[in-house]
Every structure is written in structure tokens, then in C-alpha cells.
Amino acid sequence: MEHLTTILDYDHSFGNIKPWQDVLKQIRQGKKKTIAFLGASVSTGDLVGIENSYVTYLKHHWNEEMACEYAPYIYNGSHAGTLSTNGLFFVEDILSHKPDLVFLDYSVNDSGLEVFNESFEGLLRKFLRLNIPVATIMFTNNRGDTKYTMKNMSQYYHLPVLEIGNAILQNVDKDLCTWEDLFLDYVHPNPLGHEYIAKNMFDFFHYLEKAPEEKMMPVPSEPMYYGLFDDYEVLTLPLFQEEFEISTTYSVGMVEYKEMPDSSLTAECDIYLDHKYFDTLRHYNPLSWENRVAKILSIDGEETPHTITIKKKSHAPLDEEWDDYQIKLLFSHDF
């Protein structure tokens, strides 16, 4: 592990670092601070267990690696198999822990579709409007457009970008390690890979503590894209209703629910948009990762009145695992 190079050995862009430096100073002074993670399966430690994830490694080794008597509270709000569209639904959970710093990890799962550019920017702007420093973690993936879009977007807002995926590939190219040394498959790290990710993050924190304070670059007020998710609300549906209906106006609408590979959890709900059948939400999916799925209802371009109706199908009764059937709606406004 010691012979491997990290993100600091290559071109890196950390943008406005002063807010991060301020929080690290406060941690050293013993003030209670929270670092939150919002992302997908790499951040949850999928295939190796959360106890072997890089986030847990940060928790357990902070005092030693940072040579610091005090440590922040580290909250992991990540969910395997999710996209940045799902992240919009998870923001309130992250905010409930009052984070002082936030890391986003969606570079692996987001595809090149424009809606993911919009949802990722919506996450960035949500935290920035609340004056919460946010950074992007770039893991290896095979979708170059998404990777570079996230990097360019983060740099547009002068945010730190941790290109850990590039650092791994550089080590492989230099024959310092093989892919199999750090990964279980094409994307999921083994325990040593998670330790390597944590090493990169500790290097980032050390860099922040040593770097001179720089003048803050102004953060753009206008979105890089269209700002589809600049203003949105999330509605959690009642669990026990046979039918739910809401009439509202929105510019973008989404529905989010959980899919599971357990064939005994076979509840289904029909969803209607403006009284016309739209889709069936099937909670059972044999190929799922027990992940939540976000689907676009419509993108209208302006505030448009709609009626959304969700009906529980009578032949698929809910079982006692009520949380598995939680359905949420998102309505975006004024872009």
C-alpha cells in the first residue's frame, strides 16, 4: 500500500479550499463537526460490508492518521445501486445530521443522460445555498461523458474534486499494482481497495492543513445547465392507503420506490398521470440490489398542473415490511 501513488501525485483541482480548512481547524480545536457521505455502492462498501468500507476506515483511523486528539462525526447516507436522481430524495436525511462537509459519490452509476447532469448539479447547488462545503469523489467508470461533466461542473463551482479513479489507473499503468489487487470486479473495491481510497482522502485532508489559505473565488449564482432541480419538494406517501391522489403544479416530476430481489415482496402499484395509466411500480425485481429507483413522470419546461394517482393493486397485498414499500414523489419548480 505504501508504494502506491495517490491523487496528490497527479494533476488535481481542489478549488475553494478555505471552508474545508476552517472546518479541519475547528476539529483540531475539539469542536463537534460532521462529515457526511452521499453516494452509491462504493461508499456503502458493497460486496465487502460496511465495516470494511473506506468511510468506516476514515472513522476508525482518523485520530491516528490525522495525529489529532479529536475526530469528526462521520455519517454515511449512501445507498447502493442509486443515482444522483435518488440523491435528491436523500438530501433531507443528510441535512438532518447537520453536516459541515459533504462528499458526493455518483460518478460510477450516473450515465450520460442530461437528467443526471441536472440532478447532480441540483445536489451541488442545494448544499452550496446552505453554505455547506461539498466535494466530488471521482471513482473509475467507463462513462467518460459523465465523468468529465461532473469534473467540469465541480470546477465551475470551484469545488474540490478527488479523482481517485484516475490515481488507481495510474498505478495500474505504472505496474505498481494490478486491478485485481484492489478490486473484486469492474468497479467494487476489496478491503485493500477501500483502504487505498481512505489513504487518498487522508492525503487530501493533510494537503488542506498544510496549504496556504487562498482568496475565495466567487461561486457562480447561475447554474451550469438549466437548473431543473434548483427548487424542489419531496412528498412521502402514506403507507396504508389503498389509493393516493394529488393535484399540483410542477416543472419536473419524479416518483421513487424500492426494488427488491426477494420474491415474497411482490407488492405492485399502478401510477396514473392526469388520469391516464403511466406505469406499474413493481417492488419485486430479481436483478435488483435492494435499491431505490427514481423514475421521471414528466419534464414540462414550465409550471404545469398535473394529477398523480397511485393505486395499490389488490392482487399484491403488502406484507409486514412496510418500509420496503415506501413511495416518494418529487416536484421541481421554476427553472
Side-chain angles (χ1 to χ4, degrees), residues 118 265 268:
E118 293 287 349
L265 306 177
E268 298 179 354

Side-chain angles (χ1 to χ4, degrees), residues 40-46 53-55 105 108 139 187-189 194 197:
S41 58
V42 175
S43 292
T44 62
D46 225 56
S53 71
Y54 76 89
V55 179
D105 149 38
V108 173
F139 295 124
V187 70
H188 296 101
H194 279 281
I197 293 172

Side-chain angles (χ1 to χ4, degrees), residues 232-251:
Y232 69 88
E233 58 181 318
V234 174
L235 176 65
T236 300
L237 272 59
L239 279 169
F240 300 100
Q241 285 188 210
E242 292 287 329
E243 180 175 323
F244 176 87
E245 185 170 280
I246 182 172
S247 295
T248 187
T249 61
Y250 65 77
S251 53

Side-chain angles (χ1 to χ4, degrees), residues 174-222:
K174 293 178 179 179
D175 294 326
L176 297 176
C177 69
T178 65
W179 186 262
E180 291 72 23
D181 288 335
L182 301 177
F183 285 83
L184 295 169
D185 56 20
Y186 65 98
V187 70
H188 296 101
N190 59 27
L192 188 63
H194 279 281
E195 184 179 341
Y196 173 77
I197 293 172
K199 174 179 170 59
N200 277 267
M201 302 198 72
F202 279 127
D203 277 6
F204 170 61
F205 292 131
H206 285 304
Y207 168 86
L208 294 176
E209 290 196 318
K210 295 177 182 178
E213 290 190 359
E214 300 176 357
K215 183 179 180 181
M216 289 279 291
M217 292 174 281
V219 176
S221 59
E222 294 299 315

Side-chain angles (χ1 to χ4, degrees), residues 239-240 242 258 260 262-269 283-284 312-326:
L239 279 169
F240 300 100
E242 292 287 329
K258 188 175 183 179
M260 297 156 283
D262 184 348
S263 60
S264 68
L265 306 177
T266 56
E268 298 179 354
C269 297
H283 294 281
Y284 170 59
K312 185 179 71 175
K313 300 183 74 168
S314 59
H315 66 270
L318 299 175
D319 80 351
E320 68 276 6
E321 299 293 337
W322 297 109
D323 288 347
D324 287 334
Y325 299 108
Q326 190 71 75

Side-chain angles (χ1 to χ4, degrees), residues 22-69:
D22 291 343
V23 172
L24 290 177
K25 286 179 182 177
Q26 292 170 341
I27 292 172
R28 285 205 177 274
Q29 294 167 358
K31 296 181 180 179
K32 294 182 179 180
K33 295 295 172 182
T34 297
I35 301 177
F37 291 81
L38 178 57
S41 58
V42 175
S43 292
T44 62
D46 225 56
L47 304 185
V48 298
I50 189 65
E51 68 278 3
N52 292 310
S53 71
Y54 76 89
V55 179
T56 301
Y57 190 94
L58 289 173
K59 287 183 183 180
H60 291 168
H61 295 270
W62 182 278
N63 300 95
E64 172 191 355
E65 294 285 347
M66 298 300 294
C68 181
E69 179 183 356

Side-chain angles (χ1 to χ4, degrees), residues 134-154:
V134 58
T136 302
I137 309 175
M138 303 293 296
F139 295 124
T140 303
N141 67 36
N142 59 358
R143 301 185 177 99
D145 289 345
T146 301
K147 185 173 181 179
Y148 294 119
T149 296
M150 285 187 176
K151 179 178 178 180
N152 292 339
M153 194 184 302
S154 300

